[in-house]
Amino acid sequence: MSFNLQSSKKLFIFLGKSLFTLLEAMIFALLPKQQKNVAGEIVLITGAGSGLGRLLALQFARRGSVLVLWDVNKEGNEETCKMAQEAGVTRVHAYTCDCSQKEEVYRVADQVKKEVGDVSILINNAGIVTGKNFLDCPDELMEKSFDVNFKAHLWTYKAFLPAMIANDHGHLVCISSSAGLVGVNGLADYCASKFAAFGLAESVFVETFVQNQKGIKTTIVCPFFIKTGMFEGCTTACPSLLPILEPEYAAEKIVEAILQEKMYFYMPKFLYFVMFLKSFLPLKTVLLIGDYLDIFHAMDGFLERKKKL
């Protein structure tokens, strides 16, 4: 009898909390959540030497954050550093780091801790794309994709998460991709690495939740193609539903999602609907939709970048 009462009590508590969280989500859907203040927060951005990483750095510079910029491209990273200073940042530190190399990540991370302090917002943004069909892609390029797009997240998490746990304060940001949600023709290795990055971020979030570390937040970002040059030549047949995103707009919206502490952020919003359809529609129907949107040929015009990534 007491077991039944205990089970009933647990069920009512569960239903009550579920209703509350649903109402809370509905309210925040209508009234955007207040953005947190990141002035003085130490923000580390990988791949800060160009593209989205640079634009994210400038967004945080305008908000008074302390910037730690990582990139394998020293010249580009120093240019971002100079632009951040012009944007009004008072403290910005640029480090040359190849995020695909575990020991280098750990070495530069130790340097950051000594020279700057504990990183409180970690943005894993660095990424590369081969743009080749699976059987045409050399093994070394596939390994490089995983080293930069996924394994670098492992090493940066290991380097900076312990301090966040000790302080019960931190924010882990994973720049994944729409290609981390669905498979894309011509992006097998890239999709696999982005799926992995998504899974790692989600799993670490669950660990912090189970361990009651409420001060550590997670944001997983999954954008469609962004006009940064990384996906030069790629196209969209339905720009009204799947537009190729303007870099400044994308950076602004990503930072807004971080400051509102959103767990998942997909761009454009049509991706939420795509994931909903994928969860229950028959495979043949999903493939018909992909064919109608011509997404299977989005990579046909891809132009490989010639400069060092």
Side-chain angles (χ1 to χ4, degrees):
M1 183 69 177
S2 71
F3 175 77
N4 289 335
L5 286 172
Q6 190 175 9
S7 298
S8 298
K9 181 181 177 182
K10 186 176 181 180
L11 175 61
F12 281 121
I13 292 173
F14 163 72
L15 292 173
K17 287 184 176 180
S18 297
L19 180 61
F20 176 78
T21 56
L22 288 170
L23 289 172
E24 183 183 47
M26 290 171 64
I27 290 170
F28 285 136
L30 297 172
L31 302 172
K33 189 176 179 181
Q34 185 177 359
Q35 297 184 11
K36 65 182 178 183
N37 183 6
V38 290
E41 298 280 1
I42 299 178
V43 182
L44 189 152
I45 304 170
T46 68
S50 62
L52 181 62
R54 171 175 289 174
L55 294 172
L56 291 174
L58 296 179
Q59 287 283 335
F60 280 101
R62 299 183 189 109
R63 289 169 169 82
S65 301
V66 177
L67 296 181
V68 178
L69 311 176
W70 281 16
D71 203 287
V72 69
N73 183 336
K74 183 179 180 180
E75 184 178 339
N77 210 28
E78 289 178 349
E79 179 64 22
T80 302
C81 183
K82 186 185 301 182
M83 293 171 72
Q85 290 170 334
E86 292 171 355
V89 74
T90 55
R91 292 180 62 196
V92 55
H93 308 264
Y95 295 87
T96 303
C97 181
D98 183 350
C99 292
S100 70
Q101 302 298 315
K102 178 176 67 173
E103 297 307 324
E104 188 166 338
V105 169
Y106 288 160
R107 177 183 61 77
V108 180
D110 285 340
Q111 193 177 348
V112 169
K113 293 172 195 175
K114 292 174 184 174
E115 297 176 358
V116 187
D118 292 333
V119 170
S120 51
I121 300 178
L122 170 63
I123 304 177
N124 275 304
N125 164 76
I128 62 171
V129 60
T130 62
K132 299 180 184 295
N133 287 330
F134 177 70
L135 293 178
D136 296 330
C137 188
D139 292 353
E140 59 270 20
L141 287 185
M142 286 190 174
E143 289 173 346
K144 189 72 172 179
S145 289
F146 268 82
D147 287 342
V148 176
N149 299 348
F150 166 58
K151 290 169 74 174
H153 297 214
L154 296 172
W155 318 139
T156 56
Y157 274 34
K158 286 238 178 172
F160 298 112
L161 183 56
M164 293 184 185
I165 292 172
N167 299 326
D168 193 29
H169 178 73
H171 200 140
L172 301 168
V173 181
C174 168
I175 306 297
S176 182
S177 169
S178 57
L181 299 171
V182 295
V184 180
N185 179 43
L187 283 177
D189 60 314
Y190 183 81
C191 287
S193 66
K194 291 297 186 177
F195 267 84
F198 188 115
L200 171 68
E202 194 171 56
S203 297
V204 172
F205 162 74
V206 173
E207 282 192 16
T208 59
F209 172 79
V210 170
Q211 295 167 18
N212 201 33
Q213 293 155 350
K214 296 180 180 178
I216 301 174
K217 310 300 178 182
T218 293
T219 298
I220 304 173
V221 181
C222 296
F224 190 57
F225 297 143
I226 303 175
K227 295 179 185 176
T228 58
M230 187 172 180
F231 286 96
E232 189 70 31
C234 295
T235 58
T236 177
C238 292
S240 59
L241 296 176
L242 286 173
I244 296 180
L245 302 165
E246 293 296 333
E248 292 79 8
Y249 170 81
E252 181 182 346
K253 291 302 178 183
I254 290 170
V255 171
E256 283 181 11
I258 295 169
L259 300 186
Q260 291 175 358
E261 297 181 343
K262 291 183 178 179
M263 174 71 182
Y264 304 102
F265 182 60
Y266 305 163
M267 288 190 297
K269 290 183 178 180
F270 181 65
L271 289 176
Y272 292 101
F273 186 55
V274 169
M275 294 308 295
F276 173 67
L277 295 179
K278 182 187 175 187
S279 68
F280 72 92
L281 286 179
L283 175 60
K284 287 184 179 180
T285 308
V286 172
L287 294 174
L288 282 171
I289 293 171
D291 190 47
Y292 174 75
L293 296 174
D294 203 29
I295 196 66
F296 301 138
H297 299 287
M299 290 291 296
D300 286 1
F302 174 75
L303 301 173
E304 187 176 355
R305 291 172 109 176
K306 299 300 181 184
K307 69 177 184 178
K308 186 177 180 181
L309 292 161

